[in-house]
Amino acid sequence: MDSNLNLSQHPEVKQENLTADPMLCASREQWSGSYGGQSTGCQPDIEIQLGKLRDSLQIPERLLSVVRAYWNDLTAKNADILSREPCVHWLVGLVYIVDLDHRLPYGSADPQAQSGVVGRPVATVTDLVEEANISILEFFQSLGCIQDSLRLSNTVQASITDLKRKYLMMTALFDKFEKLFDEIVKPESESGIEAGQCSNQLSQLTELHENKALAWTLFVLTKGVLFSGSASLISLFQVLLCSLDYTLRTLPSFLLNPPFETVRRDSSENLDQYSMLRQLCDYCNASFEEVKSLHMSCWEPLVLSFSSNLGMVELPELIQSYLNTLAKEGDINELKFLEHSQHLMPRDERDAGPGVGMEVPITPIRAALNTIDQLRNLLFMSKDEPSSRLLQFFQNCSNNPESAIQERVVTYREHFLSQYVAIAGKDQHNIARQRYSMAVKLYYRVMESILIGEEERLSQSDFSTLLNNQAFQKSLLACSVEVVMATYTDSGKHHHMVAMTPSETDMSFPWILKVFDLKPYNFYKVLESFVKAEPKLTKDIIKHLQWVENKVLESAAWQGDSPLFTVLGTVCEEGLPRPIVPVTGQEDDARCSAFPADLFLSPSCGGRQGYNTPEASNVTFPRWSHSLNLFFNKVCKLAYHRLQKLCSLLQIQKDLTHMSWTCLEHCITKKPELLKDRHLDQILLCSLYAICKVADRERKFKTIINAYKDMPHAGQQVYRSILISGKQYDSIIVFYNQVFMQATKNFILQFSPSRCGGAVLSSVPKHMTSPLKGSPDKVYEVPGRRNFTISPMKMSPFKAPLTPTQMTPRSVKLYSFGEGLGSAEKLRAINESINAVKRPSPSGNPRSQKRLKFDQVDDASSSEFVDYQTVVVYRTASSVKGSGKGK
């Protein structure tokens, strides 16, 4: 059951049983303004506004009484923020929250919700924003402030997130819909109909706007039926294409622009019923096979159920059917987009037109389609079966893994299909098969690339141990499926108004771990190898895999049943010390590598195993496994990066930041049990607060939490619900006093100014380059060239020339070649000067003797990257310099 907001009870910090040093304890006041607050009473203006809402929206008094209580609690905590906007802005948000919590008191597990028997909302979201005369974005801002101030149930939190997600996707889809309709259908002025022409054509022209309304209404109605839960942007766009196809096929050819008028069914007898749909998909760069599958399997049968006896759908009936559904759900009235309602439409920045030299931003639909198109092109020549080269690797193994691999692919296909249709619906079975088929192609492709790299690195061809390792194979296949799923379901994050995270869909990570029965600690091991093996992955997919890795490092790998604690327990049983991770100094490639053989075959302790080479038994390695060392390195680097960012937001001095890092690193490497079933950020926040307090530079927990909220990865569950013991959860202040301080008290007191000598500070982690960064600093290797890499230049040292009005007379002479008299003579003189410095080679060929020898690296630059833009600019600069000498 979700924990609903209880206005009469707030989490108290009971300190009478604590044995900790009072100097380190956090008091209740540290958390004031985030949980508690006394009722201040309603202002008269509030009662007036509540009365208006009650009369206009027919809100029952039992709900208004709860709204008043929420308002009192909200006023006690954020009176200064509430005073900045009219009170009705906040009241409509509270009405939405109270009504939603009243209808679903037990959350998504409510038997009434599962059976579909849920009470009607008192008002739709559109009714609320229109009554308050605010935009939907202002409504979302009010909800965000309420979320930060009150302890809302999980049901309400999820509903608000889902509402924002739906709105963002619908704005993007309507924008795309209008563009497509305007590009495909001729405007009235270009339709070719004159006043004296037949009345039939004139009637068809007057029905043009009705057909536009029909297409949009058909879309919003069918997508609501087909995707009752969350759906990806691309899935909804495919439904939109089906709706457009239905409408365009009813329009006469003279109303359509090329090439659509030629695929109108009345223009040729040889066209099939999917000609218009195929043309739409080609025009939008969408997959015709996927859209056709959706059209045949579920969209067309659904539309037929809406049709009248004559086989046509009627717009008034569709509108009424949609409004009936809207009244039951209480969401945004998406038909209002057709009216360009000021309450729903965001400000269109394109109205002002792009500035000079400015690039028109890519739309969310286009960005999503481009990402999918790149993946399809990547797998165009691949098959969903092993290639001849991969089969050769299988045959070279002493224990051929081919049959086991193919059986595993078939087995998990059934698992995937059943889990997919359980969420998306049985109508999506064909789509699920297509997704899995793409994933299998990527799986075999990446496996082959990994084996080629390992063969070159280890100088061997027998990979029996690795290829028969079930954890490796399952992780690699699961990662391939995750990439495909993210390509299709993670598209909404491209929207520019609100950043959208992959967790906002039902089939995003860690859903794939459930399908493949994988532990996060094992799954993360394949991520970096996957990116290295497939360099053509898009930047968005690399960022997604980075997000997945961070989720594993911060919390998923620290779950109670994680193999990580099994490995740590084995180390402790053998009498070895807790890990002291080498996160500083010069880290060689071997220590920082993430090769599959190193990670999946690295033992928990002792020497390296599983390489199928005679030399392996003679090599000794540190007692800590390579896999465990790399994991703790990554955790420490992530923790230090976040700590630095948080200290920067709080303007904390460097010495205090360094001491906080020492405490945080101590908890991670020496007391990992603190992280069990908890979040890395929880330990980070407690470490920072403890060090600030013991160093007599105290920062309130409320101040630290408020700064933490501004970090992009922050979540309310990090500081509101933390495991204390058993099944008891409470706030971070309770965790700090009852758990964290008890475990780290002696270590933290070393940083007290009264202690002589103080604690030894840990060295800060060095930057470790990872292909999962997904940054614009991506490095490319040139095939056939040793020790030569290319990376985009961050910032050119050469500035663009000024305009003539900003130059001195001398500068104008240096830069201006095209204006004024004698321009041709100037250019000829420059060319002669450049040619004068060239020297013929001994062979007679006019080639320069000075060449960049890419295969030879001098001692000074053996580890440097060569920037191709720098090379080009350097040669240009040399030419200009030479021209000066010639003159």
Side-chain angles (χ1 to χ4, degrees), residues 500-777:
M500 296 180 63
T501 63
S503 60
E504 293 172 344
T505 57
D506 295 332
M507 289 183 286
S508 61
F509 186 83
W511 175 76
I512 200 65
L513 301 183
K514 176 183 177 182
V515 175
F516 286 85
D517 190 25
L518 274 170
K519 297 298 183 183
Y521 178 70
N522 290 329
F523 176 73
Y524 111 95
K525 297 178 184 179
V526 82
L527 296 177
E528 191 168 330
S529 301
F530 194 98
V531 174
K532 288 181 178 179
E534 186 46 79
K536 293 184 179 180
L537 291 175
T538 64
K539 184 191 299 184
D540 289 329
I541 291 301
I542 294 175
K543 287 181 178 179
H544 174 78
L545 294 180
Q546 172 70 71
W547 177 87
V548 169
E549 183 181 75
N550 288 346
K551 286 296 178 183
V552 174
L553 297 176
E554 71 184 17
S555 59
W558 300 100
Q559 296 172 0
D561 59 347
S562 174
L564 172 64
F565 292 103
T566 303
V567 175
L568 292 174
T570 303
V571 172
C572 294
E573 289 176 3
E574 298 192 4
L576 299 178
R578 284 292 190 185
I580 301 178
V581 185
V583 295
T584 61
Q586 294 295 327
E587 297 173 326
D588 56 16
D589 294 338
R591 182 174 295 173
C592 297
S593 66
F595 299 109
D598 293 334
L599 296 182
F600 284 94
L601 305 181
S602 177
S604 61
C605 57
R608 185 178 297 186
Q609 301 173 358
Y611 290 97
N612 299 324
T613 57
E615 295 81 1
S617 59
N618 298 325
V619 180
T620 58
F621 285 83
R623 300 290 288 174
W624 271 87
S625 73
H626 177 88
S627 174
L628 202 56
N629 264 327
L630 183 63
F631 174 80
F632 274 91
N633 265 287
K634 289 193 172 188
V635 172
C636 286
K637 291 175 188 298
L638 178 64
Y640 181 70
H641 171 74
R642 292 183 176 181
L643 178 65
Q644 264 192 321
K645 187 74 177 290
L646 182 58
C647 290
S648 176
L649 292 174
L650 291 167
Q651 298 181 343
I652 291 178
Q653 299 88 338
K654 289 186 177 180
D655 63 326
L656 210 57
T657 301
H658 203 164
M659 288 189 288
S660 300
W661 160 244
T662 302
C663 178
L664 179 57
E665 191 257 0
H666 171 81
C667 294
I668 296 172
T669 60
K670 300 298 179 61
K671 294 184 176 295
E673 62 274 4
L674 277 175
L675 280 156
K676 192 171 185 178
D677 288 322
R678 298 187 180 101
H679 196 287
L680 177 64
D681 290 353
Q682 295 166 348
I683 309 303
L684 185 154
L685 295 171
C686 290
S687 298
L688 179 58
Y689 173 79
I691 294 300
C692 290
K693 189 173 182 68
V694 77
D696 292 334
R697 286 180 274 182
E698 183 178 357
R699 298 293 180 98
K700 290 185 177 181
F701 244 128
K702 178 182 177 181
T703 305
I704 296 176
I705 294 298
N706 286 337
Y708 173 75
K709 292 177 184 177
D710 293 333
M711 301 181 72
H713 63 276
Q716 289 189 8
Q717 71 281 0
V718 171
Y719 51 87
R720 289 195 183 276
S721 179
I722 310 175
L723 176 66
I724 306 300
S725 63
K727 295 184 178 181
Q728 178 191 358
Y729 287 80
D730 215 314
S731 68
I732 193 170
I733 196 74
V734 177
F735 167 75
Y736 173 84
N737 283 329
Q738 296 186 6
V739 180
F740 180 84
M741 188 180 56
Q742 306 294 336
T744 60
K745 172 186 173 182
N746 293 332
F747 182 81
I748 293 173
L749 288 175
Q750 298 179 71
F751 297 93
S752 173
S754 61
R755 293 289 181 96
C756 298
V760 178
L761 299 180
S762 301
S763 300
V764 300
K766 299 291 183 180
H767 174 73
M768 182 169 64
T769 304
S770 170
L772 286 175
K773 289 298 181 185
S775 65
D777 304 331

Side-chain angles (χ1 to χ4, degrees), residues 478-493:
C479 188
S480 302
V481 176
E482 178 66 21
V483 167
V484 174
M485 295 297 293
T487 302
Y488 281 89
T489 62
D490 199 26
S491 307
K493 66 182 176 57

